[in-house]
Amino acid sequence: MSLKIFEYDPYLKPFEKDIKLRMDNYLIKKKILLPDEGTLLDFANAHEFFGFHKVARHWVYREWAPGADNLYIMGDMNGWNPTELKMDRLDNGVFEIHLKGKNKLYGGCKVKTVVEKDGKIYERIPAYAKRVVQDPVTYAWCCEIVDEGTFKWTDRKFKPKRDLLIYECHIGMAQDKESIGSFTEFRDNILPKVKALGYNTIQIMAIMEHPYYGSFGYQVSSFYAVSSKFGMPSELKSLIDTAHSMGIAVLLDVIHSHAVKNTAEGLNEFDTTDYQYFHQGERGHHPAWDTKLFNYSKPEVLHFLLSNLKYWLTEYHFDGFRFDGVTSMIYHDHGLGKAFTGYADYFSFNTDTDAITYLQLANELIRQVNPNAITVAEDMSAMPGMCLPICDGGIGFDYRLSMGVPDMWIKLIKTTRDENWNMRYLWYELTNRRPHEKYIGYVESHDQALVGDKTVIFRLCDSEMYTSMSKFTESSVIDRGIALHKMLRLITFSLGGEGYLNFMGNEFGHPEWIDFPREGNGWSYKYCRRQWHLAEDSTLRYEYLLNFDREMLTLQNEYNIFQSPIVSCYIDEEKQVLVYERGGIVFVLNFSPTNSYEGYQLQNIPTGKYAPLFSTDEERFGGHGRVSMTFRYKTEALENGSEGFSIYLPSRCGICLKKIMHSSYKG
């Protein structure tokens, strides 16, 4: 077997049998799922058969429940009589009922499935429910029939950009008000902000229905249902259609790594067995998350999950997925406490080969549904081949998140004084990537914003943010925090990957943490929102960080740096200076907290003339204006034989210089 994965990474050669096993498992599973040599696109249609469907003048409901003796449906249409409407048992554990006449369903009708086993009955939520709502009095959940008619899409010609600038967001907490925001409010109030900043993609969390709001959407109960907390399905479609009209792609944060353990709301023990969708016994339980784990070896489970991906792509026009919890999926120990220090850690009995096969099938299906779709893997283990094509021996994702980078920044800020930051360490951590695989770089995501943790700005400034964010208040702590906030973003943006991610509000240094309403805080929404008014207040320094974020994104939007390789000019460890070139932009960063350098010689610079694009020290970004933005530089032969030029390099400052073509320059 000749696979490119071995050309890209010769250190994988000793594990050739393991990669071959990966490919064999993938081909064998396809033959099992597609005995007639069809396509995954044809296979992944469970949602078109199961669940509720309007047929002419009546409705049909089907469910897979092999462990049940009988199934019934009850709801508003029959006065909630649990055993009046018995479903017919078909082959392979499938049940069906046609609802017509006085038992006919209608839009807004609330229903539940009733499962009978050994003479006992259990209330369940239909597995393919498209909308699930909670009773405001009893707090019980039930399925609500959706009959909104056909949505008129206007995005037929839209294609997502491949160089991702991702704005990670949560619909409910996206508003300034102390309550849950809606799809419509996000469409009208937040999408224009995202567009104005220059992001080309939004990654939406918590879309799939989840009973506990504070789970951030990561404990899903109904995989085909849009969360009723934020509005109707048609309102989500309108949000996505509007985003596409603005040139913004929309990724779904999809959770196929686990499911909520609730039986009244979720898939767990739907047919009264613990092994219908999940692994049986302890293997089906996630010890850290207290959730249920899918059995990826079962064709019926693959049918459910693959169809789920196709459903979100076709019904809602999502442009792809960020797969949550990939590390948890692909190792039997879920990667808990694992360092992954050698290649043997990836290819052992700890590896869940069924999960890897599922991810390969998922990526193949997604491209069959939409060749322009994008997939991103949240994998902290750096599994080889995660973002290589399947035909090359990979798993098929487009990008992986650079999950080690936020951890690196937090560790550095917490444990190391500024004057001791090591430039070679920064360079290694930000550029060390698997060959031929694309990464999404980021300083912080939602993970760092949750209560119990701290955002970067809060770690840097802490309580001073409450007293000294006014432009008219002097504070060395705030000056340091704002300077480093910009520099960390600039170096991560330019070195950390072939894409970039920011969690909403962090671009302007949103203060404090995210704390969902709970008993411990009096069910308050005070910390479960985004305070946009802070960035819009011209008397506060948040505006500076917002201005910088917008300017930083022009490096990609105007100069396409993600498409270019990173070239190291040199690292000056003694002076804490990094110089490198990417996409024709020369980046010069002085991390020294106190030392500014007059006539600093930039060495190994590509021959030409250069003009400053911007500096983190500009006054519009909250800096001191120590860098001339009108001066022009011309490379010349230096004493050491290299090309370069001299520049004034202030402390704690980053400068971006663009090569210019015209002949006039000052200097």
Side-chain angles (χ1 to χ4, degrees):
M1 178 182 292
S2 177
L3 297 170
K4 288 186 178 180
I5 191 171
F6 300 113
E7 297 175 24
Y8 300 151
D9 190 350
Y11 290 105
L12 282 171
K13 268 294 185 182
F15 303 94
E16 189 167 3
K17 289 183 179 179
D18 297 278
I19 298 295
K20 184 179 184 299
L21 177 64
R22 172 191 291 181
M23 302 308 298
D24 288 344
N25 289 341
Y26 157 74
L27 294 172
I28 291 169
K29 186 62 71 173
K30 279 186 68 175
K31 287 183 179 180
I32 293 172
L33 300 180
L34 310 171
D36 298 324
E37 298 185 354
T39 66
L40 291 172
L41 184 65
D42 299 322
F43 170 77
N45 289 322
H47 56 291
E48 296 180 5
F49 179 78
F50 293 109
F52 296 94
H53 300 279
K54 200 173 185 179
V55 182
R57 295 184 178 181
H58 72 279
W59 290 74
V60 61
Y61 168 50
R62 300 185 188 93
E63 198 72 72
W64 175 64
D69 293 336
N70 292 297
L71 251 59
Y72 306 83
I73 183 171
M74 66 176 182
D76 290 338
M77 72 290 182
N78 78 329
W80 294 91
N81 186 321
T83 57
E84 177 189 16
L85 299 175
K86 185 177 181 180
M87 300 177 67
D88 296 325
R89 188 176 193 116
L90 308 180
D91 295 333
N92 302 317
V94 176
F95 292 81
E96 177 186 89
I97 188 170
H98 291 259
L99 298 158
K100 56 186 70 175
K102 67 181 182 67
N103 295 318
K104 182 180 176 181
L105 303 179
Y106 52 88
C109 178
K110 295 177 178 59
V111 299
K112 276 190 174 183
T113 306
V114 178
V115 178
E116 182 180 10
K117 179 69 174 180
D118 296 333
K120 296 180 180 180
I121 61 173
Y122 306 86
E123 295 183 8
R124 297 288 187 261
I125 302 295
Y128 290 80
K130 296 178 180 177
R131 179 170 167 82
V132 180
V133 296
Q134 188 175 29
D135 187 281
V137 178
T138 65
Y139 297 106
W141 292 80
C142 65
C143 173
E144 183 177 81
I145 300 301
V146 179
D147 191 13
E148 294 185 295
T150 302
F151 183 83
K152 295 182 179 179
W153 293 93
T154 64
D155 63 350
R156 182 174 59 86
K157 295 182 180 180
F158 176 77
K159 290 183 180 180
K161 293 182 179 178
R162 304 306 297 183
D163 301 309
L164 302 186
L165 298 172
I166 301 175
Y167 198 79
E168 185 186 30
C169 50
H170 182 284
I171 300 297
M173 57 175 291
Q175 305 302 315
D176 214 319
K177 64 181 182 178
E178 294 185 30
S179 62
I180 298 177
S182 69
F183 291 126
T184 300
E185 288 173 317
F186 188 95
R187 180 196 66 194
D188 296 343
N189 301 332
I190 310 305
L191 278 180
K193 297 180 189 294
V194 177
K195 176 67 175 177
L197 282 169
Y199 289 90
N200 59 32
T201 305
I202 58 173
Q203 178 179 296
I204 312 183
M205 309 170 65
I207 289 296
M208 304 158 82
E209 190 58 85
H210 49 289
Y212 179 45
Y213 188 48
S215 75
F216 237 141
Y218 289 122
Q219 293 196 8
V220 174
S221 53
S222 294
F223 285 77
Y224 286 81
V226 172
S227 178
S228 58
K229 301 172 182 67
F230 313 132
M232 294 295 293
S234 60
E235 293 169 320
L236 173 59
K237 292 176 182 178
S238 178
L239 186 164
I240 295 172
D241 198 48
T242 302
H244 288 167
S245 73
M246 295 178 171
I248 298 171
V250 187
L251 302 183
L252 173 64
D253 196 347
V254 71
I255 295 86
H256 282 183
S257 50
H258 62 137
V260 73
K261 70 176 184 179
N262 305 25
T263 56
E265 295 91 10
L267 293 174
N268 189 24
E269 298 183 18
F270 182 89
D271 69 352
T272 74
T273 68
D274 67 347
Y275 53 82
Q276 182 184 2
Y277 287 98
F278 308 111
H279 285 292
Q280 192 171 17
E282 281 302 306
R283 190 180 173 191
H285 177 256
H286 197 294
W289 298 342
D290 194 23
T291 50
K292 299 298 294 182
L293 299 171
F294 286 104
N295 183 349
Y296 303 107
S297 69
K298 292 181 70 170
E300 296 88 351
V301 173
L302 295 178
H303 197 209
F304 178 86
L305 294 174
L306 292 172
S307 300
N308 189 236
L309 297 174
K310 182 179 178 180
Y311 171 76
W312 290 110
L313 290 170
T314 55
E315 182 69 18
Y316 289 93
H317 290 205
F318 278 99
D319 299 293
F321 304 95
R322 178 263 201 188
F323 276 72
D324 175 70
V326 168
T327 306
S328 175
M329 295 173 70
I330 61 178
Y331 303 104
H332 293 302
D333 65 3
H334 315 298
L336 298 173
K338 192 82 171 178
F340 296 99
T341 56
Y343 278 53
D345 291 334
Y346 302 111
F347 306 106
S348 66
F349 290 116
N350 185 40
T351 304
D352 190 332
T353 56
D354 289 322
I356 289 175
T357 298
Y358 165 66
L359 292 173
Q360 289 177 302
L361 295 171
N363 277 294
E364 179 177 343
L365 167 70
I366 290 164
R367 293 339 181 290
Q368 288 179 3
V369 176
N370 179 3
N372 297 306
I374 300 161
T375 58
V376 181
E378 189 211 27
D379 172 33
M380 62 175 291
S381 76
M383 167 64 78
M386 183 65 70
C387 300
L388 291 178
I390 299 169
C391 62
D392 293 340
I395 298 175
F397 284 92
D398 292 306
Y399 299 87
R400 68 161 92 234
L401 294 173
S402 289
M403 298 187 69
V405 172
D407 293 339
M408 181 266 292
W409 287 127
I410 291 169
K411 180 181 178 182
L412 202 62
I413 293 169
K414 287 173 64 176
T415 65
T416 309
R417 294 172 60 88
D418 297 9
E419 56 266 34
N420 295 327
W421 284 17
N422 184 293
M423 297 300 103
R424 295 191 183 279
Y425 170 72
L426 291 185
W427 178 266
Y428 175 81
E429 290 294 326
L430 287 165
T431 61
N432 181 34
R433 301 197 272 278
R434 293 227 174 269
H436 295 270
E437 299 196 35
K438 291 183 178 180
Y439 285 65
I440 302 293
Y442 61 107
V443 176
E444 52 190 340
S445 66
H446 70 272
D447 287 328
Q448 288 72 42
L450 286 167
V451 66
D453 206 335
K454 286 185 179 181
T455 59
V456 165
I457 194 68
F458 220 46
R459 287 188 182 279
L460 293 169
C461 301
D462 221 327
S463 61
E464 287 263 341
M465 294 194 75
Y466 296 115
T467 59
S468 305
M469 285 300 283
S470 167
K471 293 179 181 178
F472 311 108
T473 302
E474 294 292 330
S475 170
S476 60
V477 171
I478 296 297
D479 286 345
R480 169 183 179 263
I482 286 179
L484 285 177
H485 193 274
K486 292 177 291 187
M487 291 192 70
L488 266 56
R489 274 159 168 71
L490 180 60
I491 191 173
T492 302
F493 184 91
S494 54
L495 283 185
E498 292 70 40
Y500 179 74
L501 177 142
N502 168 68
F503 179 67
M504 63 177 186
N506 286 353
E507 70 276 8
F508 65 83
H510 195 286
E512 300 174 324
W513 48 83
I514 299 165
D515 192 6
F516 284 90
R518 54 187 174 84
E519 188 175 2
N521 64 18
W523 303 104
S524 170
Y525 287 88
K526 181 179 180 180
Y527 299 110
C528 196
R529 60 192 178 113
R530 298 286 88 179
Q531 300 180 63
W532 306 107
H533 68 274
L534 296 174
E536 295 161 359
D537 188 335
S538 61
T539 69
L540 300 178
R541 303 197 204 195
Y542 299 101
E543 178 185 54
Y544 294 145
L545 297 178
L546 187 71
N547 291 342
F548 176 75
D549 193 79
R550 184 186 300 111
E551 189 68 36
M552 183 180 71
L553 297 191
T554 65
L555 293 172
Q556 173 55 35
N557 288 328
E558 294 187 19
Y559 301 104
N560 296 315
I561 67 167
F562 293 158
Q563 298 175 9
S564 302
I566 299 165
V567 180
S568 173
C569 296
Y570 65 96
I571 300 170
D572 188 335
E573 192 63 70
E574 180 182 353
K575 290 184 169 61
Q576 289 187 286
V577 173
L578 268 173
V579 184
Y580 52 93
E581 184 264 333
R582 190 175 190 185
I585 309 294
V586 173
F587 297 85
V588 186
L589 294 101
N590 177 12
F591 277 93
S592 173
T594 55
N595 297 325
S596 298
Y597 305 111
E598 188 76 48
Y600 189 91
Q601 282 195 346
L602 300 186
Q603 305 170 23
N604 304 318
I605 305 299
T607 302
K609 301 163 188 176
Y610 291 84
L613 274 178
F614 63 85
S615 156
T616 63
D617 195 54
E618 290 182 57
E619 292 179 356
R620 61 182 172 140
F621 305 144
H624 303 290
R626 294 171 291 174
V627 178
S628 170
M629 302 309 295
T630 59
F631 200 86
R632 301 295 180 261
Y633 304 87
K634 182 182 180 181
T635 59
E636 58 186 5
L638 302 177
E639 291 181 2
N640 64 0
S642 72
E643 284 275 319
F645 53 82
S646 296
I647 189 172
Y648 175 58
L649 188 52
S651 59
R652 213 175 260 149
C653 172
I655 305 171
C656 297
L657 300 130
K658 170 66 178 173
K659 195 171 186 178
I660 54 178
M661 296 294 133
H662 55 80
S663 59
S664 61
Y665 69 94
K666 298 177 183 179

